[in-house]
């Protein structure tokens, strides 16, 4: 499906970083630092953590979405997110 076959044929020419996380460490259902834990079934609870995040970073509440991320590389997370958000808000 998709490019899978093409990429498999050229595997000897490909290199990169495999993205991934340790799901035991980065698990919002068991994160002691989150005031309100959540998982796929209780995703709505994620929004309940917004006030604590705003307070922690001394941010004022706004009307738009709040994004937070931990990233070593701006091009891998922050910039694409900000670009997509900016383009969407221009609509």
């Amino acid at each position: 499906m998709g490019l899978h076959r093409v990429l498999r044929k050229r595997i000897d020419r490909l290199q990169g970083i495999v993205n991934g996380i340790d799901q035991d460490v980065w698990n919002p259902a068991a994160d002691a630092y989150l005031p309100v834990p959540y998982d796929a079934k209780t995703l709505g609870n994620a929004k309940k953590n917004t006030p604590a995040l705003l307070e922690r970073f001394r941010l004022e509440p706004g009307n738009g979405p709040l994004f937070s991320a931990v990233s070593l590389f701006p091009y891998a997370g922050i910039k694409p997110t900000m670009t997509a958000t900016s383009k969407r808000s221009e609509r």
Side-chain angles (χ1 to χ4, degrees):
M1 180 174 192
L3 291 174
H4 182 74
R5 242 184 274 148
V6 174
L7 294 176
R8 278 276 174 217
K9 284 182 182 179
R10 301 183 67 114
I11 194 85
D12 60 319
R13 296 181 182 198
L14 301 175
Q15 63 181 358
I17 299 170
V18 177
N19 291 321
I21 60 169
D22 182 337
Q23 293 180 358
D24 293 328
V25 175
W26 299 101
N27 179 355
D31 192 328
Y33 295 101
L34 287 177
V36 182
Y38 63 94
D39 60 19
K41 292 180 181 175
T42 59
L43 197 55
N45 284 345
K47 194 170 187 174
K48 296 177 182 175
N49 291 302
T50 300
L53 187 63
L54 293 172
E55 183 179 331
R56 167 69 175 85
F57 292 101
R58 296 185 178 116
L59 299 171
E60 294 293 324
N63 294 327
L66 173 65
F67 294 97
S68 64
V70 177
S71 178
L72 297 174
F73 308 102
Y75 56 84
I78 305 301
K79 277 191 177 178
T81 300
M82 296 307 293
T83 301
T85 304
S86 176
K87 287 180 180 176
R88 184 172 174 104
S89 67
E90 290 173 2
R91 292 183 193 169

